[in-house]
Amino acid sequence: MNLVSESLSLDDYEQAVELFFERGWTDGLPVVLPTRKRVEALIAYVGRDPQASLGPVPPKGGQATVEKLAINAVMGGCRPEHFPVVLAAMEAMMDPAHNLNGVSQTTHMCVSLVIVNGPIARELGFNSRDGVFGNGYRANAAVGRAVRLALWNLGGAVPWDTDKSTLSHPGEYAFCIAEEEQDNPWQPLHVERGCPAGSDAVTVFACEGPHSVFCYGTPEEMLHVLADSMCSLGNNNMHVMGQTLVTLNPLNAEEFAKRGWSKQDVRLYLWEHARRPLSDVRACGVVHEQFRKMERDAGRYPLRYDLDNPTTRLPVTSTPEDIHIVVAGGRSYFAAVLPGWGGFGGFAVTRQIRRPGR
């Protein structure tokens, strides 16, 4: 197999692990050593040319070749069957609509979340239920970390250098979930976004970490607290719109469906009610107004919302379709909102997963 990456010969395991730290090839945690055997196994599984490239990874422009991505996937803990998910996630992130260059360098704390859909999620053991944003599942952790290591090593998204995030969040290590599709009365996310039913896909969306929402009761009671949580003045969406993510647990979704609410009904209600008076938004100060002007000048901020009437209620996104809804987590009291970066980018992009022989 034609591999061109630097090859090292080291007899001491501990020395090899420490070398990865010394050379800045890891994110602060130890890695699985990318031996030639492991790397070749991932490449052979997908049947792709090792030197085929998905393109340069911003901001520093290292080529995302199949070989380089396989190396980072091994380092993150992936097995060969995980690699198609990593490739699809990287393809989605490098779509111009996601603006990976901006996401990687912004002072905001957004991180690209990978959401896995389709039969592959259950087959490979991705967690979509209790503790979905947490630890304990190899598939979530390995795919999530593989993507982050690729951005680290190929894109150079490193703190104190190109990654300018003021605070960031732990999703910079690994940020990957699966949507729950069995205990879910609605169409899954990827089908809603145009993929065939029964297909495998990933959706990437740059967002903050999950903000807990105590969400229980009738549809109207749940929507009341969700809408209030979505339109916090501290999140970018209230100032420069963009997109946002709502994660409902299966019990929430079941209650909505039993009362006749579709996912679109929920989305439309939230768009109409997750709003703040113009006076509240303007009271945040001149810097926020400068950001809004920047978005208006770029054509990303609808002028019809920038009115003189202080009682005008401003929506959290410019359209209902910019509110993404995913079903995941345990059957309990809690949902979550994950605000986006705003109109600057990080938008949701979906790609089908190409599995060998399917």
Side-chain angles (χ1 to χ4, degrees):
M1 187 176 288
N2 178 33
L3 303 185
V4 301
S5 299
E6 178 184 5
S7 181
L8 302 173
S9 295
L10 296 168
D11 295 327
D12 185 87
Y13 176 84
E14 285 75 16
Q15 180 187 0
V17 171
E18 290 302 320
L19 182 66
F20 275 71
F21 283 110
E22 292 165 12
R23 295 202 177 182
W25 292 337
T26 181
D27 52 8
L29 292 174
V31 297
V32 176
L33 294 178
T35 62
R36 186 181 186 95
K37 179 181 177 181
R38 288 179 180 272
V39 172
E40 286 185 340
L42 266 67
I43 298 171
Y45 183 81
V46 297
R48 307 258 304 256
D49 177 355
Q51 303 318 315
S53 178
L54 305 185
V57 182
K60 292 196 171 179
Q63 286 294 323
T65 66
V66 173
E67 176 186 342
K68 296 293 187 183
L69 293 175
I71 291 170
N72 283 278
V74 169
M75 290 166 61
C78 288
R79 294 177 55 83
E81 55 267 30
H82 298 132
F83 194 37
V85 187
V86 174
L87 290 174
M90 288 300 299
E91 287 175 0
M93 271 192 268
M94 292 173 67
D95 187 295
H98 193 65
N99 187 11
L100 183 59
N101 186 58
V103 169
S104 295
Q105 297 186 85
T106 178
T107 53
H108 189 251
M109 62 165 55
C110 63
V111 175
S112 298
L113 170 66
V114 177
I115 305 167
V116 182
N117 277 106
I120 196 171
R122 189 71 66 195
E123 291 171 21
L124 298 188
F126 281 89
N127 185 23
S128 61
R129 299 189 180 184
D130 296 78
V132 66
F133 285 103
N135 58 1
Y137 286 80
R138 179 176 183 172
N140 300 53
V143 169
R145 192 164 183 229
V147 167
R148 298 307 309 172
L149 284 169
L151 299 185
W152 178 279
N153 286 312
L154 304 178
V158 176
W160 290 76
D161 187 4
T162 58
D163 183 347
K164 303 298 183 183
S165 181
T166 307
L167 296 171
S168 193
H169 69 77
E172 290 252 49
Y173 285 111
F175 204 24
C176 175
I177 68 169
E179 182 170 32
E180 174 55 37
E181 296 187 30
Q182 293 184 359
D183 192 9
N184 183 348
W186 296 324
Q187 270 192 336
L189 178 68
H190 70 310
V191 175
E192 197 180 19
R193 294 180 58 80
C195 295
S199 64
D200 301 308
V202 297
T203 300
V204 298
F205 174 58
C207 54
E208 300 175 22
H211 297 241
S212 178
V213 179
F214 188 8
C215 185
Y216 191 79
T218 67
E220 292 77 14
E221 290 167 342
M222 291 189 287
L223 289 165
H224 177 67
V225 294
L226 284 166
D228 181 75
S229 300
M230 290 169 63
C231 60
S232 162
L233 290 172
N235 82 65
N236 275 24
N237 294 121
M238 277 317 306
H239 302 281
V240 287
M241 296 188 170
Q243 300 178 352
T244 194
L245 173 65
V246 176
T247 302
L248 300 174
N249 78 60
L251 182 59
N252 298 149
E254 180 182 280
E255 288 299 317
F256 279 118
K258 283 198 305 189
R259 307 292 183 94
W261 287 72
S262 69
K263 191 189 291 189
Q264 182 65 3
D265 292 333
V266 172
R267 181 179 288 113
L268 289 171
Y269 184 99
L270 291 174
W271 188 73
E272 289 289 352
H273 292 83
R275 302 190 176 207
R276 294 297 290 263
L278 181 64
S279 56
D280 283 0
V281 176
R282 285 193 168 153
C284 294
V286 66
V287 172
H288 297 80
E289 178 57 35
Q290 289 170 350
F291 276 107
R292 288 193 292 276
K293 182 179 185 305
M294 192 186 332
E295 287 296 274
R296 286 197 299 273
D297 292 346
R300 294 187 294 250
Y301 192 95
L303 287 174
R304 64 183 180 275
Y305 296 127
D306 195 17
L307 307 176
D308 294 327
N309 183 350
T311 65
T312 297
R313 292 179 60 80
L314 303 182
V316 71
T317 62
S318 60
T319 70
E321 288 66 36
D322 290 320
I323 299 174
H324 308 300
I325 299 175
V326 166
V327 176
R331 295 174 63 86
S332 183
Y333 303 98
F334 297 102
V337 297
L338 294 85
W341 183 23
F344 307 113
F347 302 143
V349 176
T350 300
R351 287 288 183 275
Q352 285 188 245
I353 299 168
R354 290 180 283 175
R355 286 210 267 175
R358 303 201 181 194

